[in-house]
Amino acid sequence: MADVQLYDTKTAAIIPFEPGSEVSIYVCGITPYDSTHLGHANTYLAYDLLIRRLEDQGHTVRLVRNITDVDDSILPKARELGIDFLELAARETARFTNDMRVLNTRPPFGEPRATEWIAPMVELISRLDTLGHTYADDGTVFFDVSTFDGFGSLSGYDQQTMTEYAAERGGNPDDPRLRNPLDFILWQPSLDDEPSWPSPWGPGRPGWHIECSAMSMGLLGSTIDLHGGGSDLIFPHHECEQAQSEAATGQTFARHWMHCGMVAYEGTKMSKSLGNLVFVNELSKQADPRAIRVALMTHHYRSDWEWHDHDLTAGVSLLDRLHRAAHGSAGPNPGPFAERLRAALDNDLDAPGALTELSALADAILAGGEDPTAPAVLRQLGSLVGLELDAEPRALA
Ligand SMILES: [Zn+2]
């Protein structure tokens, strides 16, 4: 069986993804303080498509997607709303689970919540401490990047770029306690109204990066086949995860790194502060959720792209055509379409290419033909990419 070819962030090349029969995948999940927007959907659908193709090839896939229910963004939001952070987390996690179900993504094998993994995090930090990779300052423990040779090897960014991104994405390179501006927090004291857990360095809470290392290694072992998330996680989050995990175990943390592009809205970066987030639950009130999936599939997972309101209309119309053809009576020999669709998925998960083949087969069925198996194959190929074509599409609201 041919391997799936996938772009690997670390080697910056498209290479064969060569897992064994069991595949372990860790994808960074949400911080549950707001609803699922299109950026999340775009990311998680890409891994869902990969998983479906791997299962189609006969692999068993174990996907772990965590819930970051304690970090620097959920605590201020809970404070602002005047509710307990775990209540906020439970509410938004339930919404996220529902959105993922509505979009027909495969449920994960494991969905660990950071607050349930504090003890393994403390253990991991202690191990790093014993091995000489940390320093502490008044209850805060830092990872000392100078003790790890490969820092920067995942992102390939230079020191200046890393410093800029660290400042932008949750780090604090100007902290005077840092020996190197890229050193990052493993453990920190909590503020008075924040949750805290006991540790050898005093009560506090974990840093964001150590959470994923502890949960990934705890559920899937020291080395995983593939690690993923949005491209904004390459640095610092994944670079730091790799450094601390490999410093602790001496083994490769992830064999393959796959990152998804960012989604903008009508020409502007989608962000909470601009108030222009497009939410999955809003879109699925307007249109059949399969049309959202179709619309997302018209973009390659690695590209940055913009959502336009008319994308949903286009998705609805293609879904409608696919559904009509799936209930047609005959068409052309579907074999070559199936072969090209799988080849598209194997070519760095080319979802637009796969969608083109589905659409071409549907057109050919609607034009007529002799082969009575064509509509059933169209339905199978739809399932392969997560589009179940049995039910009647819902009209646009
Ligand atoms: Zn993570």
Side-chain angles (χ1 to χ4, degrees):
M1 125 183 112
D3 288 311
V4 176
Q5 305 281 319
L6 272 184
Y7 185 84
D8 171 44
T9 307
K10 190 167 176 175
T11 50
I14 294 175
I15 58 173
F17 177 53
E18 300 170 304
S21 65
E22 283 210 351
V23 189
S24 53
I25 298 181
Y26 186 97
V27 175
C28 288
I30 55 157
T31 299
Y33 67 109
D34 214 335
S35 301
T36 321
H37 58 69
L38 270 185
H40 298 127
N42 182 57
T43 296
Y44 300 127
L45 279 190
Y47 298 102
D48 187 62
L49 203 54
L50 173 65
I51 290 166
R52 285 171 185 275
R53 174 58 180 138
L54 292 169
E55 288 179 349
D56 179 49
Q57 289 184 323
H59 293 281
T60 304
V61 181
R62 289 191 298 166
L63 166 71
V64 172
R65 191 180 60 212
N66 68 294
I67 302 283
T68 306
D69 60 357
V70 56
D71 82 346
D72 289 338
S73 43
I74 191 169
L75 297 173
K77 177 74 179 187
R79 186 180 297 131
E80 179 194 319
L81 295 172
I83 59 175
D84 187 84
F85 76 107
L86 287 177
E87 191 186 327
L88 174 61
R91 188 175 81 191
E92 294 304 336
T93 301
R95 283 192 184 161
F96 173 70
T97 303
N98 190 53
D99 288 341
M100 289 293 107
R101 188 184 54 74
V102 162
L103 290 175
N104 196 30
T105 61
R106 286 270 196 269
F109 156 82
E111 197 166 41
R113 296 190 296 135
T115 48
E116 293 180 338
W117 283 77
I118 304 290
M121 292 171 202
V122 168
E123 220 170 275
L124 182 54
I125 300 168
S126 299
R127 198 181 332 158
L128 289 168
D129 194 16
T130 309
L131 293 168
H133 293 291
T134 70
Y135 57 95
D137 187 315
D138 204 18
T140 301
V141 185
F142 297 94
F143 184 86
D144 181 349
V145 298
S146 72
T147 65
F148 181 72
D149 268 349
F151 198 78
S153 69
L154 166 59
S155 61
Y157 300 152
D158 58 23
Q159 173 91 8
Q160 192 193 334
T161 309
M162 287 196 276
T163 310
E164 281 165 20
Y165 278 143
E168 252 172 55
R169 297 171 179 172
N172 187 11
D174 295 328
D175 187 331
R177 299 170 297 174
L178 296 180
R179 294 180 189 167
N180 178 314
L182 297 177
D183 291 347
F184 55 91
I185 289 177
L186 297 168
W187 187 262
Q188 62 200 328
S190 305
L191 299 176
D192 286 346
D193 65 343
E194 288 179 350
S196 97
W197 290 267
S199 87
W201 317 280
R205 62 183 176 92
W208 170 35
H209 313 309
I210 199 74
E211 297 186 352
C212 284
S213 285
M215 292 186 280
S216 176
M217 295 198 286
L219 283 170
L220 296 170
S222 302
T223 302
I224 50 175
D225 291 309
L226 184 137
H227 198 317
S231 59
D232 55 344
L233 296 184
I234 297 171
F235 193 91
H237 189 51
H238 288 165
E239 191 75 64
C240 297
E241 268 187 54
Q242 175 181 264
Q244 67 204 0
S245 303
E246 297 190 354
T249 66
Q251 290 172 46
T252 300
F253 176 50
R255 293 196 183 96
H256 199 108
W257 289 90
M258 173 179 161
H259 292 98
C260 301
M262 298 285 112
V263 184
Y265 177 62
E266 305 267 4
T268 316
K269 180 180 157 54
M270 243 195 263
S271 82
K272 197 182 301 292
S273 54
L274 294 171
N276 66 347
L277 295 175
V278 179
F279 293 110
V280 171
N281 58 6
E282 293 299 325
L283 286 181
S284 60
K285 280 179 209 154
Q286 292 169 37
D288 192 305
R290 291 172 293 175
I292 306 174
R293 192 161 173 125
V294 167
L296 292 169
M297 278 185 68
T298 61
H299 302 276
H300 190 265
Y301 79 91
R302 269 200 289 137
S303 60
D304 294 330
W305 55 277
E306 284 173 23
W307 174 263
H308 295 276
D309 292 333
H310 59 76
D311 292 347
L312 198 55
T313 324
V316 168
S317 111
L318 178 51
L319 173 65
D320 189 54
R321 200 148 43 84
L322 293 173
H323 175 262
R324 272 188 290 124
H327 293 80
S329 53
N333 171 15
F337 292 89
E339 213 168 282
R340 288 193 300 265
L341 182 142
R342 289 190 167 89
L345 293 177
D346 293 351
N347 176 24
D348 196 22
L349 212 60
D350 178 8
L355 203 55
T356 299
E357 292 304 325
L358 266 192
S359 171
L361 177 55
D363 286 345
I365 291 171
L366 293 172
E370 303 288 310
D371 192 328
T373 66
V377 172
L378 178 64
R379 284 201 294 275
Q380 285 162 14
L381 295 175
S383 291
L384 169 55
V385 299
L387 293 168
E388 307 301 337
L389 297 173
D390 290 334
E392 191 81 34
R394 220 173 69 209
L396 261 179

